[in-house]
Every structure is written in structure tokens, then in C-alpha cells.
Amino acid sequence: MKKHNFYAGPSILTPYTIQKTADAVLNFADTGLSILEVSHRSKEFQAVIDEAAALTKELLQLPEGYHVLFLGGGASTQFCMVPYNLLNKKAAYMNTGTWATNAIKEAKLFGEVEVVASSEDKKFTYIPKDYVIPTDAEYFHYTSNNTIYGTKFWELPNTKGHELVADVSSCFLSEPVDVTKYGVIYGGVQKNVGPSGVQIIIVREDLIADGPALKCTPTMMDWKIQAENESLYNTPPCYGIYVCGKVFKWIKKIGGLEAMKAHNEKKAKILYDFLDSSKMFKGTVEPKDRSLMNVPFITGDEELDKKFVAESKAAGFENLKGHRTVGGMRASIYNAMPIEGVEKLVAFMKKFEEENTK
Ligand SMILES: *Cc1c(COP(=O)(O)O)cnc(C)c1O
């Protein structure tokens, strides 16, 4: 049976990426060795990491003055690396759900944190709009796309000159981004651009020029040292970086981030249009804050939700169960999800609705 992969992360990769990776597991760059068994200091691997960084810069049209880092770990590693490197006294954070909450918790270990707004009052189903960032905050941190709740910042927060730091884990390379508006963007790659185990960090040079804010920052947590060593201070996740490079190539091949955005908008529209017309299913997010990547929905009847999750799984739709903290359903429709996958899902939902309406 053909499977449709709606996992929230690690998540779907394209057949192109999987095939290229399978080839390199057997014979990497004609070395006669596997990508799993070559040194990170080999010239063949150097070419892999150089190409991955160059493609990231090309896709994002990154101006001079930014470093691209591929390190081991995940977005959660940056929850402490951000304050280690930037937090002298005070930072401002926005709380839009679990990942933001975790980032706030870590930052509080290092200095004063002001939570300028939270959408917890409505179970994180919207993005707060009115808030003031305190003048003495050194940076403002927010989560661009909230994977668990399906909300997204459509407008950049007005930081009034503060450094902007964004966790972009679940929307990285899903659309063009003006990186010049940011001091730092970071994410785990396993949602949209690779397998788990790699985190990507794009940081503006002047922010790291004098080393980390906290003098006791351990070497591995130090963006400056990682940048000076071009992500090769220690052994990086070589295999994961290889896969990311293939994902970047695929994005370039289909036309870059404008094409990626059009593809993602088209898919999301198919699903949201259906949710808005259905009498059984409904989206849980404030319409203007809806994510293009993660689409949570419910029937309003927990037993019916369970039935839907079970029957959809049996029909080849993998993992439509909502996050354990929110329940209901969630379809993650990242970059690599084809239009067809969403069309099939909507057809299945229509049929389920017909069969289960008295
Ligand atoms: C998945 C996710 C994380 C956690 O990522 P890890 O790589 O598991 O640490 C953080 N932020 C967002 C927005 C996520 O989607």
C-alpha cells in the first residue's frame, strides 16, 4: 500500500533525497566507501559541507556577514546556546507554545527573561498581536511556526531595533525569508530539510565577533568557535549534513524558495478550504494565524477523532494523530509532501464524513 507520510518530525523526505542518500550509503562520491564510514576531514566530506553551506546561502540569498553552521544536536540545543552567546542581562521572549516555553525555561537559567506575550489563554491557537518589547532587552526570541498548534507568524514582530532571534525548525526553507531582519535564525532540520541529529544556525558575524556573552560558555556552545572552525571543531553529523545537502539541491531544482512557497500554499489551501466547508471537521487555529506546515483539526467528538485516526492509518495515512498534549488530529504537510498526498487526504476525509454522518 502506498503510504502518505504526515509525521510531524522526523518527517517526509522526497524520493530524490532518499535515493541519493541510499546511493551514498553504498558508495559515496565514488570513494568505494559508505558516507557512514568516511572521515569528516576527508576532501570528499569537505565538499559535502561546503556545498550544503553554499546552497543554504544561495537559496536564502544570504548577504555577506552571516555564518551558516551545521552542528550536532537539535533546536533544543539552541535554547541554551542562544542565551550563552547573547544574553548579558535581559532578553524578551514570546510564548506561543511548548517549544517557546522550553526556550524560555532555558534562557531563565542565564539571566532575566521578560515574556512579552503569551497565547496560553486560548491553548496557543493564535499569535499574540499587541505587546511591547522592553527597551533594555538585548534580543527578542520567537518561534516562527508552532509545529504542535499549527500557528504561524505572518508578520515579523516589530522589534523596535532589538535583535531578532527566531526558531524556524518547522518552516525552514518553506518560503523566502529576508534574513537581514534577523540576528539569528536556527532550527533542527528534521521537520523540513533533513533527518534528525543536525541543527542549522545562521548568525550575523558582528554578534559573535567578541565571543559569547557569558564568559563561562563551554567550547561546544560557543558560536564563535563553531564559526571559526566552519562547523568542524569536532566531528559533525556527517551523514545528516549529506542528506540536508540533497534536500537543498532538490529545492533548487524545483525553482528555489519562491517555488517552494507556491507549492506549500497550494497544498495548505486544499486542506483549509476543505476544513472550512466541512460540517464534521474543523481547524482549531484562528484563520489569520494558520500555518502552511502543520494543520491541526478536530471533529468535536473525541470518539470520532479516534475512529478517524485509526481508519486513516489503515488506509495508508501515516500519523494524523494530534500531538499528545493537544489531541485531535494534525496533518504535517512539509516541503516534501506532494500535492497528491493532500488531495488523497481530503478525499479520504470527505468519504469518512459521508460514512459517519447520520
Ligand atoms: C521540533 C521542534 C523543536 C525541537 O527540536 P529538537 O531538534 O527535537 O530539539 C523546537 N522548535 C520547534 C519549532 C520544533 O518544531
Side-chain angles (χ1 to χ4, degrees):
M1 182 187 6
K2 176 158 170 49
K3 294 273 187 168
H4 302 283
N5 184 354
F6 292 94
Y7 271 113
S11 44
I12 186 167
L13 293 166
T14 62
Y16 169 85
T17 306
I18 304 269
Q19 186 59 55
K20 290 285 178 195
T21 303
D23 294 346
V25 166
L26 294 173
N27 180 9
F28 164 56
D30 278 329
T31 54
L33 301 172
S34 170
I35 180 71
L36 304 175
E37 56 178 2
V38 296
S39 169
H40 60 299
R41 308 282 176 205
S42 67
K43 73 175 188 327
E44 289 85 0
F45 182 74
Q46 187 65 51
V48 167
I49 195 164
D50 288 347
E51 185 181 41
L55 283 168
T56 306
K57 289 180 179 169
E58 185 181 337
L59 289 169
L60 285 167
Q61 295 174 11
L62 211 62
E64 288 292 305
Y66 282 86
H67 287 286
V68 177
L69 305 177
F70 298 98
L71 306 180
S76 305
T77 316
Q78 291 307 312
F79 295 167
C80 72
M81 280 178 91
V82 168
Y84 264 131
N85 286 278
L86 297 183
L87 181 50
N88 279 301
K89 269 190 74 180
K90 181 169 172 179
Y93 278 68
M94 165 87 81
N95 188 5
T96 51
T98 300
W99 301 122
T101 306
N102 289 359
I104 291 164
K105 176 173 161 255
E106 293 293 278
K108 282 182 173 166
L109 298 171
F110 300 90
E112 189 185 346
V113 173
E114 184 166 328
V115 179
V116 298
S118 165
S119 49
E120 195 171 6
D121 57 338
K122 290 185 184 159
K123 295 186 181 154
F124 301 115
T125 53
Y126 73 104
I127 299 288
K129 303 289 184 302
D130 294 318
Y131 49 91
V132 179
I133 299 170
T135 48
D136 56 345
E138 289 155 319
Y139 64 88
F140 174 63
H141 177 284
Y142 77 111
T143 316
S144 303
N145 183 79
N146 293 278
T147 324
I148 296 173
Y149 313 90
T151 59
K152 179 195 162 156
F153 275 84
W154 284 97
E155 274 172 46
L156 273 190
N158 182 359
T159 62
K160 299 212 171 70
H162 293 87
E163 285 307 338
L164 194 54
V165 178
D167 174 358
V168 299
S169 295
S170 52
C171 56
F172 189 55
L173 302 185
S174 64
E175 61 182 353
V177 186
D178 181 359
V179 182
T180 62
K181 298 249 161 58
Y182 296 83
V184 183
I185 68 177
Y186 71 84
V189 304
Q190 73 274 20
K191 310 284 162 62
N192 235 346
V193 296
S196 62
V198 182
Q199 44 168 342
I200 187 159
I201 303 104
I202 298 174
V203 56
R204 215 179 55 232
E205 254 164 39
D206 61 286
L207 289 176
I208 58 174
D210 298 331
L214 227 84
K215 294 305 161 214
C216 68
T217 298
T219 307
M220 286 294 287
M221 299 285 117
D222 184 332
W223 283 337
K224 186 178 188 212
I225 289 175
Q226 298 288 6
E228 282 170 353
N229 288 278
E230 298 184 351
S231 308
L232 291 165
Y233 171 77
N234 75 325
T235 319
C238 299
Y239 162 79
I241 294 168
Y242 178 88
V243 182
C244 290
K246 295 303 149 199
V247 172
F248 302 158
K249 260 214 160 122
W250 169 73
I251 297 175
K252 185 177 169 180
K253 228 157 52 104
I254 66 157
L257 296 186
E258 284 294 348
M260 202 70 256
K261 180 182 184 202
H263 173 70
N264 287 327
E265 284 175 343
K266 195 166 167 190
K267 280 183 296 185
K269 184 170 179 349
I270 294 170
L271 190 45
Y272 285 124
D273 280 355
F274 171 70
L275 288 173
D276 291 341
S277 69
S278 166
K279 290 201 172 60
M280 175 179 283
F281 296 102
K282 53 179 178 297
T284 55
V285 168
E286 189 108 354
K288 63 179 179 307
D289 298 328
R290 284 170 165 174
S291 163
L292 294 182
M293 302 279 102
N294 311 95
V295 182
F297 58 94
I298 52 171
T299 63
D301 173 344
E302 279 183 29
E303 286 310 309
L304 202 56
D305 286 356
K306 270 194 199 138
K307 186 170 186 227
F308 176 80
V309 169
E311 289 185 13
S312 62
K313 184 168 171 64
F317 299 92
E318 211 48 70
N319 208 59
L320 287 166
K321 194 171 189 300
H323 190 268
R324 59 197 147 75
T325 58
V326 292
M329 283 75 73
R330 170 180 52 171
S332 294
I333 51 174
Y334 296 119
N335 283 354
M337 169 63 67
I339 304 272
E340 185 214 354
V342 177
E343 286 172 345
K344 290 262 162 68
L345 171 62
V346 166
F348 180 83
M349 289 168 77
K350 278 185 183 153
K351 185 166 143 278
F352 183 89
E353 182 167 347
E354 273 163 32
E355 287 169 0
N356 291 277
T357 304
K358 283 163 210 112

